[in-house]
Amino acid sequence: MTETPETRAARAVDETRLWDRLMTMASYGALANGGVNRQALSPEDVAARRRMKRWADARGFQVTTDGIGNLFVRRPGSDPEAAPVMTGSHMDSQPTGGKFDGIYGVLAGLEALCALEDAGVATRRPIEVVAWTNEEGSRFRPGVMGSSVFAGRLALDDALGVADGDGITVASALAEVRAAETDIPVRDMGGPVASYIEAHIEQGPVLEAAGKTVGVVTGIQGIRWFDVEVTGREDHAGTTPLKTRKDALKAATGIVTALGRALADPDDVVRFTVGRFEAFPGAPSTVPGRVVFTIDLRHPDGATIERLSAAIAKTSVVEAAGCEVAVRETMNAAPTIFPDEMVATVRRHAEALEISHLELPSGAGHDAMNMHGLCPTGMVFIPCENGISHNEAEAATPGDCAAGARVLTACLTDLANR
Ligand code: GLV
Ligand code: MN
Ligand code: MN
């Protein structure tokens, strides 16, 4: 292997240090079956942020936050005027999430900064690791919230006004986080970024099946989220004849079944998921008067996702069965194609480090969707066991975690010297 600043920094990645940090973070919000529940801006999230701050302080890195609670860890460059290269991901999890989704990218970024220090490699540009607020969107909708605000795609005030299921707003949750972080300065929102590169577990089966260690990510498929509300009428379950009822649950299940048919795809490319489905008032002897459910729709092609979104709106109304139906879009992320040069950068450094690799698109959404458009953006994937993610059983090996961090470190070193 030829010795360059990139390979020198990459070789300083410490597999044990990275793994120990992943396991430490997994203790904040740990669940009985090995997973994690660390909701955005929750006490568990605050504990993870405090831990991150202590690790950063120990190496003399500067820690800041911004108006939506994104957390930044900065290693300075030699040119004080140069825009930073950024890396990172998220620390929040699904309600029954795994130990790697999101947090791996944050800790791989921190590992890159530590490796650069240990190897004594300076860069011209600063490198910043960011933990984006509320990527998952399981507490506050929409997801990828922190990066959306940073990139100017969502107004800060709109994000601050979003409430969780208990009526707690982002603004009030953030005020509690701030109270625990009086030692972290608040910086201005956004700012110039030279480039962004995010590390993540693949969350799918491709790398493992191909026996490859690193994924060179070419882009991210489009994502649409909808909230559907079906309103009927509450009635007595024992006395009201079926033919006069306006049963919101019956209508909603009919809509979901019809959508399954309308979106059926023999090639299995369309992704259609109803992940939340609630009937009200939720009493055995009352005909449900209201049902709310979510739709997550994904496809790599922009025109196709437009067409399928229109079909969702139409089918929901046609199948209303005498009830009122309201369909509200809550997220719209167009398909992303990363620039060739960023894809080539990841590939080149995987090759230089002699780490096996494969090009693939991302089925999952990431904050990188928002950074694309703001600056040249790319991603590095590592395999996860059986492709399982958004599940407590999510697993990755220490060796693969380190390999991904090595490729990330080499890319960041390269990008920060351009
Ligand atoms: C991110 O977690 C996604 O839902 O793709
Ligand atoms: Mn993620
Ligand atoms: Mn996720």
Side-chain angles (χ1 to χ4, degrees):
M1 194 188 295
T2 324
E3 173 89 357
T4 61
E6 289 83 16
T7 56
R8 200 145 56 84
R11 267 204 303 272
V13 162
D14 183 332
E15 179 176 317
T16 305
R17 175 172 58 196
L18 175 57
W19 187 257
D20 288 350
R21 286 179 174 171
L22 281 161
M23 294 307 111
T24 298
M25 284 301 201
S27 71
Y28 304 128
L31 297 175
N33 294 320
V36 170
N37 180 11
R38 195 168 47 241
Q39 295 304 304
L41 309 177
S42 65
E44 294 76 24
D45 193 16
V46 170
R49 295 164 68 98
R50 297 312 292 160
R51 187 67 257 184
M52 191 72 185
K53 167 88 163 68
R54 289 199 293 279
W55 283 326
D57 285 349
R59 299 308 295 253
F61 304 140
Q62 188 197 5
V63 180
T64 54
T65 186
D66 66 12
I68 192 64
N70 296 319
L71 188 72
F72 303 88
V73 175
R74 180 181 175 106
R75 181 179 190 253
S78 58
D79 179 352
E81 304 299 318
V85 171
M86 288 178 69
T87 185
S89 195
H90 57 101
M91 305 211 285
D92 66 320
S93 78
Q94 290 285 314
T96 51
K99 295 189 189 79
F100 300 91
D101 178 2
I103 193 68
Y104 169 66
V106 175
L107 293 178
L110 180 64
E111 184 56 37
L113 298 197
C114 294
L116 283 158
E117 284 292 289
D118 293 343
V121 174
T123 56
R124 183 173 81 78
R125 296 181 183 279
I127 303 177
E128 288 187 350
V129 181
V130 54
W132 301 110
T133 298
N134 189 46
E135 189 272 352
E136 296 286 9
S138 48
R139 179 173 182 193
F140 301 106
R141 262 167 297 154
V144 291
M145 183 181 273
S147 55
S148 297
V149 176
F150 183 91
R153 298 172 76 152
L154 174 65
L156 175 60
D157 283 346
D158 289 348
L160 292 174
V162 171
D164 68 8
D166 296 323
I168 300 169
T169 60
V170 170
S172 81
L174 201 50
E176 287 193 23
V177 173
R178 283 279 152 69
E181 294 185 345
T182 50
D183 53 351
I184 302 184
V186 181
R187 62 191 239 172
D188 291 343
M189 185 60 67
V193 183
S195 49
Y196 177 78
I197 185 150
E198 176 167 350
H200 207 283
I201 58 166
E202 182 203 330
Q203 307 184 272
V206 177
L207 290 175
E208 187 180 61
K212 304 289 185 188
T213 305
V214 152
V216 179
V217 185
T218 53
I220 303 177
Q221 68 177 338
I223 308 176
R224 292 280 179 99
W225 280 6
F226 302 91
D227 278 353
V228 183
E229 178 169 30
V230 182
T231 309
R233 190 184 60 224
E234 292 176 12
D235 273 309
H236 194 292
T239 59
T240 317
L242 295 194
K243 57 176 181 282
T244 64
R245 294 182 182 189
K246 288 189 175 182
D247 185 330
L249 181 63
K250 244 174 138 175
T253 52
I255 291 170
V256 172
T257 305
L259 286 174
R261 272 196 304 269
L263 305 181
D265 172 17
D267 297 327
D268 200 12
V269 178
V270 174
R271 299 281 177 266
F272 164 68
T273 305
V274 174
R276 184 178 293 168
F277 191 99
E278 290 173 283
F280 299 94
S285 304
T286 300
V287 175
R290 190 169 81 94
V291 167
V292 291
F293 65 93
T294 57
I295 294 174
D296 178 309
L297 173 72
R298 309 194 189 203
H299 197 278
D301 176 62
T304 306
I305 205 164
E306 283 298 333
R307 181 172 56 75
L308 298 178
S309 298
I312 284 178
K314 187 160 165 239
T315 305
S316 301
V317 172
V318 168
E319 301 292 330
C323 295
E324 301 275 306
V325 180
V327 181
R328 190 169 64 91
E329 185 179 278
T330 57
M331 183 155 112
N332 181 351
T336 301
I337 297 172
F338 292 139
D340 290 345
E341 172 48 23
M342 292 299 282
V343 175
T345 298
V346 177
R347 190 193 317 114
R348 203 162 51 238
H349 289 296
E351 268 161 21
L353 293 166
E354 295 166 5
I355 293 171
S356 69
H357 56 91
L358 178 78
E359 286 188 22
L360 79 173
S362 174
H366 301 286
D367 294 296
M369 296 181 305
N370 284 323
M371 296 307 280
H372 174 76
L374 201 65
C375 64
T377 292
M379 289 192 76
V380 178
F381 275 174
I382 59 163
C384 56
E385 196 177 295
N386 298 321
I388 290 173
S389 185
H390 285 193
N391 185 315
E392 288 193 58
E394 186 181 88
T397 68
D400 287 347
C401 289
R406 284 195 187 98
V407 174
L408 178 71
T409 302
C411 292
L412 291 170
T413 310
D414 174 356
L415 294 166
N417 281 323
R418 290 187 189 173

